């Protein structure tokens, strides 16, 4: 693959806040603690040691969660990393995401590889420490409509299930029908059969979405030592009990986050919307908001109601029944892990920036924020089309209209442009206006009206010439527009739309190998990979 990079802001798909963060704009410095630069890492490590670390609990939970996967007689890189987490010189680099079906859009893979590559580079640069790549699986998320489908070759395939509650807890048995649909879309080639078998082995042989997601990620990334943490765990939640209790009794997060987001909104768009209580009640088949009415705590849209003593007793005996929402989940994650870096997408990075004061209030260490690698993958067929149309990996980010006009200009030169004539007309009419003003100033209005009329006539003629040029180059323009739609489906980034499966079907392990070879999150630039 041929690699090129492009500033994130030049793609047109990233916010001003992201661009300013990368550039170190002073307007954002109150919202983060560490600059995304190599010389910040030792500072973060030393700072992280000042906060509580829960290494033994974390090691015990991970050993239990990984028991079905690990062979104690033949330790692999994952078990080695889990054991290393007990050591005081080991820290994590983490990314997080919900367990989308079949690995979901491509950016989940890019998140994970960004994390793996940075962990490896840090371990090489700082040999006195070890850095473990971690994927925090948001298995408690209950947004089924966001997670229950895949996009394959522009076709949306949806898992229709009446299960409710945490998506990670949903049973996989009814996925067989969805996999049959995928068979029809992928076809009957050997590569397609290999992909379908992968889904059957990992999803139909595991009972829950969380277990299936862990199994497929272990398959692909165990060799890189990726550790998957499922936060839906009673022992990990027990570590979080003091924060949960503070939220239940004081509702402390709402005013803190509101103040931060208001300050953020002075220069940037904020999408953070904290609740009075940023916790859910979690049980099998249910994840509903906890609200407070008077002296009672209620679970929204249920009959569950608790007094103060009752809800505190529930917290003490069953902390796993309390689930943080998107406001408190980052605090939970960072409390549990010996973490120094969080890697996320553009929206996540700006979201986390608005939570820094919440971390301070909760007494939890705040990590460095890094923008995950974003990738435009261009296969050989599309590379060939781009060459014919004289397009580069960078120019393809321009709008379709601009690309069409540029192509027409290249093919016809200035034949359809009347800019020269417009300037000549302007000079001519200015000369006439000057002469008229010396004879009869009252004629200025008539001259101005004629000037406007002639300008419109030239613009109309120019439009006709452009349409004629487009008709002449109709086939090439259609190819260009089709190419643009292919590389930017639904006018968005490829990575946010297309599923991992077609790429794995076509390239196999080579797809992941190339990504690991080329992605470097510290470049802080968008990556374009073109097949040679």
């Amino acid at each position: 693959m041929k690699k090129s990079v492009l500033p994130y802001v030049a793609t047109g798909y990233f916010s001003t806040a992201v661009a300013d963060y990368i550039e170190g704009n002073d307007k954002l410095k109150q919202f983060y603690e560490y600059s995304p630069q190599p010389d910040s890492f030792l500072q973060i490590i030393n700072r992280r040691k000042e906060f509580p670390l829960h290494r033994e609990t974390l090691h015990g939970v991970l050993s239990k969660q990984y028991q079905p996967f690990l062979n104690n007689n033949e330790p692999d890189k994952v078990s080695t990393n889990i054991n290393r987490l007990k050591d005081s010189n080991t820290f994590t680099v983490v990314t997080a995401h919900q367990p989308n079906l079949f690995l979901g859009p491509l950016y989940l893979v890019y998140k994970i590889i960004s994390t793996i590559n940075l962990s490896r580079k840090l371990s090489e640069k700082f040999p006195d420490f070890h850095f473990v790549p971690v994927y925090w699986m948001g298995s408690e998320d209950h947004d089924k409509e966001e997670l229950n489908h895949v996009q394959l070759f522009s076709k949306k395939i949806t898992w229709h299930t009446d299960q409710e509650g945490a998506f990670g807890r949903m049973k996989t048995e009814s996925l067989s029908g969805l996999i049959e649909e995928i068979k029809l879309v992928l076809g009957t080639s050997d590569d397609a059969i290999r992909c379908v078998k992968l889904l059957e082995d990992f999803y139909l042989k595991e009972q829950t979405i969380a277990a299936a997601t862990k199994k497929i990620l272990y398959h692909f990334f165990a060799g890189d030592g990726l550790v998957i943490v499922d936060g839906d765990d009673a022992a990990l939640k027990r570590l979080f009990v003091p924060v949960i209790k503070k939220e239940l009794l004081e509702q402390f997060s709402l005013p803190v986050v509101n103040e931060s987001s208001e300050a953020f909104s002075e220069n940037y768009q904020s999408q953070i919307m904290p609740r009075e209580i940023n916790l859910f009640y979690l049980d099998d088949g249910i994840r509903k908001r906890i609200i407070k009415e008077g002296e009672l705590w209620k679970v929204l849209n249920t009959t569950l109601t608790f007094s103060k003593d009752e809800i505190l007793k529930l917290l003490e005996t069953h902390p796993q029944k309390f689930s943080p929402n998107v406001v408190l989940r980052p605090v939970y994650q960072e409390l549990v892990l010996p973490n120094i870096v969080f890697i996320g997408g553009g929206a996540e990075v700006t979201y986390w920036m608005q939570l820094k004061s919440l971390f301070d209030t909760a007494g939890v260490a705040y990590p460095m924020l890094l923008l995950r690698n974003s990738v435009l993958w261009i296969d050989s067929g599309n590379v060939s089309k781009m060459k014919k149309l004289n397009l580069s990996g960078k120019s393809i980010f321009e709008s379709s209209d601009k690309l069409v006009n540029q192509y027409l200009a290249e093919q016809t030169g200035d034949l359809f442009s009347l800019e020269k004539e417009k300037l000549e007309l302007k000079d001519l009419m200015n000369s006439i206006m000057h002469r008229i003003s010396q004879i009869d100033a009252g004629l200025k209005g008539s001259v101005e009206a004629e000037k406007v009329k002639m300008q419109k006539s030239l613009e109309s003629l120019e439009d006709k010439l452009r349409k004629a040029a487009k008709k002449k180059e109709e086939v090439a323009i259609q190819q260009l527009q089709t190419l643009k739609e292919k590389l930017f489906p639904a006018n968005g980034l490829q990575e946010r739309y297309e599923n991992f499966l077609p790429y794995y079907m076509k390239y196999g392990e080579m797809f992941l190998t190339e990504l690991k070879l080329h992605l470097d999150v510290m470049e802080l630039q968008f990556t374009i990979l073109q097949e040679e």
Side-chain angles (χ1 to χ4, degrees):
M1 301 294 290
K2 175 185 175 184
K3 175 183 175 179
S4 58
V5 295
L6 188 66
Y8 282 108
V9 68
T11 69
Y13 287 99
F14 292 83
S15 68
T16 304
V18 168
D20 284 355
Y21 177 63
I22 290 172
E23 293 171 5
N25 191 301
D26 288 342
K27 290 186 292 186
L28 278 173
K29 288 192 175 178
Q30 64 174 305
F31 298 104
Y32 61 90
E33 193 163 349
Y34 309 103
S35 298
Q37 302 297 330
D39 56 6
S40 297
F41 289 112
L42 283 179
Q43 179 189 356
I44 306 171
I45 291 170
N46 291 329
R47 177 67 171 153
R48 185 64 186 87
K49 293 177 181 178
E50 298 175 8
F51 289 83
L53 294 164
H54 306 282
R55 295 184 182 277
E56 291 296 334
T57 300
L58 180 61
H59 175 266
V61 168
L62 289 173
S63 297
K64 182 179 178 181
Q65 289 186 1
Y66 267 94
Q67 193 171 9
F69 300 94
L70 301 179
N71 184 342
N72 293 327
N73 295 322
E74 297 180 18
D76 63 3
K77 290 184 179 180
V78 175
S79 60
T80 298
N81 275 345
I82 290 173
N83 288 329
R84 278 175 169 160
L85 286 169
K86 293 189 294 183
D87 299 336
S88 61
N89 66 342
T90 298
F91 297 90
T92 62
V93 175
V94 66
T95 193
H97 199 68
Q98 309 98 312
N100 292 68
L101 278 184
F102 312 144
L103 299 189
L106 285 166
Y107 66 81
L108 173 58
V109 173
Y110 301 159
K111 273 185 171 184
I112 289 171
I113 292 178
S114 298
T115 304
I116 288 168
N117 281 359
L118 179 60
S119 300
R120 183 183 297 117
K121 289 189 175 185
L122 289 177
S123 293
E124 293 170 356
K125 184 173 182 178
F126 304 105
D128 291 337
F129 300 96
H130 189 79
F131 301 89
V132 174
V134 169
Y135 164 61
W136 182 282
M137 179 168 56
S139 60
E140 297 174 32
D141 196 297
H142 64 277
D143 190 353
K144 185 168 64 175
E145 284 67 32
E146 181 185 351
L147 306 173
N148 68 349
H149 60 273
V150 295
Q151 294 281 355
L152 296 177
F153 305 113
S154 301
K155 181 178 176 62
K156 183 178 180 179
I157 304 175
T158 302
W159 180 32
H160 298 288
T161 176
D162 58 3
Q163 298 179 74
E164 298 294 338
F167 194 74
R169 293 189 181 188
M170 291 185 182
K171 306 301 182 184
T172 60
E173 55 191 1
S174 64
L175 280 173
S176 57
L178 187 71
I179 293 175
E180 287 299 319
E181 279 191 68
I182 290 175
K183 277 185 184 180
L184 296 176
V185 175
L186 296 184
T188 58
S189 68
D190 290 343
D191 291 328
I193 292 171
R194 172 172 51 85
C195 275
V196 170
K197 187 176 187 308
L198 181 116
L199 299 183
E200 291 173 340
D201 287 346
F202 296 152
Y203 282 86
L204 298 185
K205 294 182 181 179
E206 294 295 329
Q207 292 188 352
T208 66
I209 293 294
T213 302
K214 180 182 288 187
K215 188 173 182 180
I216 193 171
L217 288 175
Y218 181 81
H219 170 80
F220 285 120
F221 299 112
D224 303 291
L226 179 72
V227 174
I228 302 157
V229 179
D230 186 351
D232 187 5
D233 185 278
L236 295 182
K237 289 283 180 68
R238 189 163 295 284
L239 299 175
F240 197 50
V241 163
V243 177
I244 297 175
K245 184 176 181 180
K246 185 177 178 67
E247 181 73 352
L248 289 171
L249 299 183
E250 303 175 23
Q251 296 86 59
F252 80 100
S253 63
L254 178 65
V256 174
V257 177
N258 273 344
E259 183 179 357
S260 179
S261 61
E262 285 174 12
F264 188 84
S265 297
E266 291 177 6
N267 296 295
Y268 309 99
Q269 184 176 359
S270 172
Q271 295 179 327
I272 194 167
M273 293 183 292
R275 304 283 190 178
E276 184 180 10
I277 295 178
N278 291 288
L279 296 167
F280 290 96
Y281 177 85
L282 178 67
D283 210 337
D284 289 337
I286 179 175
R287 187 177 187 244
K288 298 290 186 181
R289 281 177 51 207
I290 298 173
I291 61 173
K292 190 171 186 288
E293 292 184 358
E295 297 302 315
L296 296 176
W297 285 258
K298 297 183 177 181
V299 179
L300 200 62
N301 300 323
T302 75
T303 59
L304 293 171
T305 301
F306 305 92
S307 67
K308 177 181 176 180
D309 289 342
E310 288 170 338
I311 202 160
L312 292 180
K313 182 177 180 181
L314 180 68
L315 176 59
E316 178 61 30
T317 56
H318 299 289
Q320 69 273 19
K321 290 185 181 291
F322 295 83
S323 175
N325 73 356
V326 68
V327 170
L328 283 177
R329 186 199 57 74
V331 177
Y332 173 42
Q333 170 189 301
E334 296 301 307
L335 182 147
V336 166
L337 298 172
N339 192 46
I340 62 165
V341 180
F342 174 72
I343 296 177
E348 287 174 293
V349 168
T350 55
Y351 197 95
W352 274 62
M353 280 194 279
Q354 296 168 75
L355 298 179
K356 180 182 178 296
S357 57
L358 179 63
F359 275 79
D360 295 339
T361 304
V364 175
Y366 190 77
M368 176 196 283
L369 304 178
L370 278 178
L371 191 64
R372 66 168 172 82
N373 284 112
S374 283
V375 181
L376 176 63
W377 181 285
I378 309 176
D379 63 22
S380 58
N382 287 321
V383 168
S384 177
K385 292 173 185 175
M386 288 170 62
K387 288 179 179 178
K388 290 180 181 178
L389 296 167
N390 197 27
L391 296 172
S392 67
K394 297 180 180 180
S395 66
I396 195 66
F397 281 86
E398 300 285 1
S399 69
S400 292
D401 288 342
K402 186 170 183 178
L403 290 175
V404 167
N405 287 334
Q406 288 175 346
Y407 179 79
L408 290 176
E410 291 170 0
Q411 299 304 308
T412 63
D414 294 329
L415 290 179
F416 70 83
S417 174
L418 297 180
E419 286 302 316
K420 179 182 177 183
E421 288 76 8
K422 289 178 186 177
L423 291 173
E424 290 174 349
L425 173 63
K426 182 179 179 180
D427 291 340
L428 175 62
M429 296 308 293
N430 287 340
S431 176
I432 294 173
M433 184 70 78
H434 178 69
R435 293 171 64 181
I436 287 291
S437 64
Q438 293 178 326
I439 299 172
D440 184 355
L443 294 175
K444 282 186 177 181
S446 298
V447 175
E448 188 64 36
E450 288 298 324
K451 176 183 175 182
V452 170
K453 187 186 299 182
M454 285 187 279
Q455 284 176 332
K456 288 184 177 179
S457 295
L458 284 178
E459 289 171 1
S460 177
L461 284 171
E462 189 177 52
D463 187 54
K464 290 177 181 178
L465 286 170
R466 185 178 287 106
K467 288 179 179 177
K470 282 185 177 181
K471 187 171 180 63
K472 183 179 178 182
E473 301 292 341
E474 188 172 4
V475 173
I477 290 173
Q478 181 60 49
Q479 290 174 344
L480 190 154
Q481 292 172 335
T482 300
L483 175 66
K484 181 74 176 177
E485 291 168 6
K486 173 67 176 175
L487 296 179
F488 298 89
N491 199 31
L493 289 176
Q494 177 191 73
E495 62 186 33
R496 301 197 64 83
Y497 185 85
E498 296 184 1
N499 187 266
F500 165 75
L501 286 175
Y503 291 82
Y504 182 68
M505 184 175 77
K506 182 174 182 178
Y507 299 103
E509 293 291 335
M510 189 272 280
F511 178 63
L512 299 176
T513 301
E514 289 292 333
L515 292 173
K516 292 172 189 176
L517 178 65
H518 292 295
L519 297 193
D520 182 356
V521 73
M522 293 304 295
E523 285 181 331
L524 301 176
Q525 299 211 73
F526 193 100
T527 303
I528 303 164
L529 296 178
Q530 297 175 245
E531 199 171 0
E532 295 182 292

